[in-house]
Amino acid sequence: MNPALRLLYLCLAWLMVGLGVIGAFLPILPTTPFLLLAAGLFARASPRLEQWLLNHRVFGTSLRLWREKGAISRRAKTGAVSLMAASFGLFLFFGNPSLSLAAIVAAAMALPALFILTRPAE
């Protein structure tokens, strides 16, 4: 592989890891999609770092589960959908949005929730 391309993949992968870690603490930012991207980038640039991420104590299980079966754990599904619902409730309560804005936000949150709920559970 071209060294410049490898370096680009590594930099992007570490950026995705950083965003994923931030997302673990901020409910507005997802964690797993960034870490899935990081694993894919690491696979192209550094198989050793890919294995490190896939075997990570905190994030590895969900990454392997998604990669191997396209599945999301029941606990992760429950947490994700519950936080989406709570966020929407807070948005309604504190934001006092118009009916049309509330409908747009509800639809924007319902689509990812539907995706999550229709994945296999492990």
Side-chain angles (χ1 to χ4, degrees), residues 45-108:
S46 173
R48 182 179 60 84
L49 289 172
E50 175 194 22
Q51 286 306 306
W52 165 77
L53 192 56
L54 292 175
N55 294 319
H56 192 273
R57 180 180 60 85
V58 176
F59 304 119
T61 302
S62 60
L63 295 174
R64 287 190 311 275
L65 187 61
W66 178 260
R67 185 177 269 187
E68 294 165 6
K69 299 179 182 179
I72 301 171
S73 72
R74 281 182 177 70
R75 181 176 179 224
K77 283 183 175 195
T78 302
V81 174
S82 297
L83 285 173
M84 285 178 177
S87 296
F88 185 69
L90 290 171
F91 166 71
L92 288 176
F93 185 75
F94 290 110
N96 196 18
S98 66
L99 185 58
S100 58
L101 180 58
I104 291 169
V105 171

Side-chain angles (χ1 to χ4, degrees), residues 27-50:
I28 193 170
L29 193 65
T31 299
T32 305
F34 289 118
L35 295 178
L36 288 169
L37 283 169
L41 291 163
F42 279 144
R44 288 164 180 74
S46 173
R48 182 179 60 84
L49 289 172
E50 175 194 22

